[in-house]
Amino acid sequence: MLTRFFTLEQVMVSATRFATAPRWVACLILAALALFVVAQVPLTPAAAAAATAAAHPVADQSDATLFRATVADMRHGADFYAASVNEQRARNYPVWPPQCIREPTEALLLWLLPNEAAARVVLVALGLVAAEAMRRALARAVLTPREALWGAGIVLIGVADALAPPATVLHEVWASDFLLLSLALRRDDRWLAAVIAGVVACLFRELALPYLCLMTLLAAWERRWREAANWCAGCALFAALYVIHLSLAAAQHHAGDPTSPGWIALGGIPFIIATARSNALFVMAPAWVIAAGLGLSAIGYVGARDRLIGRCGATLALYAGLFMVAGRSDNGYWGFLYAPLLPLGLVLAPRALSDLAARFNRARQRPAAVAAPG
């Protein structure tokens, strides 16, 4: 009975964008997926094991030690900027340009809480709230009940990063939960809460700013001018706050301070795969499995006809494009920023692949049907 229900619901859901695609489009997409996966297959098992071990995205424990030491100094009366710069100097971390100094939001929150265990409780609670908000949003989306159920579960796996030992001091994990919450709360007739959550994500990690810009552009593309104005105001507010942060960080600079080598590294596909390991589903997977997962997820996102799914997919594509250019090999933990979104497209992939296969097979059979005797 349950299977029949899902089948009826599947019929009621609109077909994917691939349902009317020309055969050459279906061939191109399927061939690109195959090549993308094959290109990540290492030549030897030893190379595969080495690549998997080297690409683990968890931040170096020295980073966690640095952030914890900064909070400890603040509890002893030190100013955040003085504490942060002094701790980075002591560990020979770069302190210039001022972007090397993280925003104070996370440190202030940890300083206010009694200990790291309390911070983990808050972080887990935040992740559960964001996952529940996304579950409700997926229930309203143009999905089958089964897709909505699997989607909610797979998002919950993504926010499970809060259980990792260094999660409470990783700015990207906090920002990720607020970014997910922002996507879940945004509706065509209600967006203020989504804007606020997006700005808070930026306050934890400035890497969330491209998301605000993307949401502004999408609202403008859909001619939702009031919504676009709200997202634009969120961008402007954060930009003003970030300028203040940079000025306070720059005031701590001394001649001879360690300088960052920069973040433009052109890491390409290997860096994208490294960031994908931030999701628990991919953390120990070989590169070709991750490539298959990302490719199928992309197909699922592109095929779906739904504004929520479209915005999730656009966010993932935005960061994948940015991280192909920016991000050093030791910045793989940046992937925590979009970890919950990485596999969501997988639950949409079967329907999209079914439509692609149908278009491909139908086009192949058409010449034979024409040649058959009448």
Side-chain angles (χ1 to χ4, degrees), residues 177 200 207 305:
D177 287 344
V200 174
L207 289 175
R305 297 177 181 271

Side-chain angles (χ1 to χ4, degrees), residues 215-259:
M215 296 297 277
T216 304
L217 293 174
L218 289 175
W221 176 265
E222 296 170 356
R223 299 182 182 274
R224 300 176 180 276
W225 305 118
R226 289 184 60 191
E227 181 184 353
N230 277 266
W231 287 107
C232 188
C235 292
L237 174 61
F238 172 70
L241 294 174
Y242 194 60
V243 167
I244 295 173
H245 161 70
L246 292 180
S247 64
L248 293 173
Q252 302 291 326
H253 175 60
H254 294 164
D257 277 340
T259 301

Side-chain angles (χ1 to χ4, degrees), residues 77-371:
D79 169 75
F80 164 77
Y81 289 96
S84 185
V85 170
N86 289 338
E87 291 294 344
Q88 289 185 210
R89 284 197 189 108
R91 293 165 171 76
N92 200 35
Y93 273 62
V95 297
W96 190 259
Q99 294 93 315
C100 294
I101 310 302
R102 295 290 173 85
E103 298 165 274
T105 308
E106 182 195 75
L108 290 172
L109 176 61
L110 296 180
W111 173 70
L112 289 171
L113 294 171
N115 50 49
E116 193 166 329
R120 190 174 302 281
V121 171
V122 173
L123 182 58
V124 170
L126 174 62
L128 291 175
V129 169
E132 171 60 16
M134 181 57 74
R135 184 194 69 79
R136 296 188 178 192
L138 289 172
R140 296 189 301 267
V142 185
L143 304 175
T144 67
R146 180 161 39 186
E147 288 172 340
L149 180 63
W150 278 101
I154 215 162
V155 166
L156 189 60
I157 293 174
V159 301
D161 294 326
L163 300 176
T168 53
V169 291
L170 288 181
H171 301 72
E172 293 79 7
V173 177
W174 291 90
S176 172
D177 287 344
F178 279 105
L179 193 151
L180 181 67
L181 184 61
S182 175
L183 282 166
L185 292 177
R186 187 265 165 201
R187 298 176 69 170
D188 288 351
D189 59 345
R190 193 165 50 197
W191 55 78
L192 182 58
V195 174
I196 293 172
V199 172
V200 174
C202 293
L203 293 176
F204 277 94
R205 194 68 164 99
E206 73 282 358
L207 289 175
L209 179 59
Y211 164 76
L212 291 185
C213 299
L214 173 66
M215 296 297 277
T216 304
L217 293 174
L218 289 175
W221 176 265
E222 296 170 356
R223 299 182 182 274
R224 300 176 180 276
W225 305 118
R226 289 184 60 191
E227 181 184 353
N230 277 266
W231 287 107
C232 188
C235 292
L237 174 61
F238 172 70
L241 294 174
Y242 194 60
V243 167
I244 295 173
H245 161 70
L246 292 180
S247 64
L248 293 173
Q252 302 291 326
H253 175 60
H254 294 164
D257 277 340
T259 301
S260 170
W263 294 274
I264 305 301
L266 302 178
I269 298 299
F271 185 66
I272 298 301
I273 290 177
T275 61
R277 297 182 193 277
S278 301
N279 189 286
L281 288 176
F282 300 137
V283 65
M284 294 303 293
W288 69 269
V289 172
I290 298 175
L294 293 179
L296 290 172
S297 186
I299 289 174
Y301 272 126
V302 172
R305 297 177 181 271
D306 183 82
R307 281 203 175 98
L308 169 64
I309 300 301
R311 278 168 166 75
C312 291
T315 301
L316 181 59
L318 170 69
Y319 281 106
L322 289 176
F323 290 166
M324 289 183 70
V325 177
R328 300 188 303 265
S329 59
D330 59 340
N331 296 141
Y333 59 91
W334 285 6
F336 285 116
L337 191 66
Y338 59 27
L341 301 177
L342 284 169
L344 180 56
L346 288 176
V347 303
L348 309 170
R351 190 148 50 97
L353 287 173
S354 177
D355 284 346
L356 281 172
R359 296 302 298 173
F360 178 75
N361 290 331
R362 184 177 179 183
R364 287 184 62 190
Q365 294 167 4
R366 186 176 302 161
V370 172

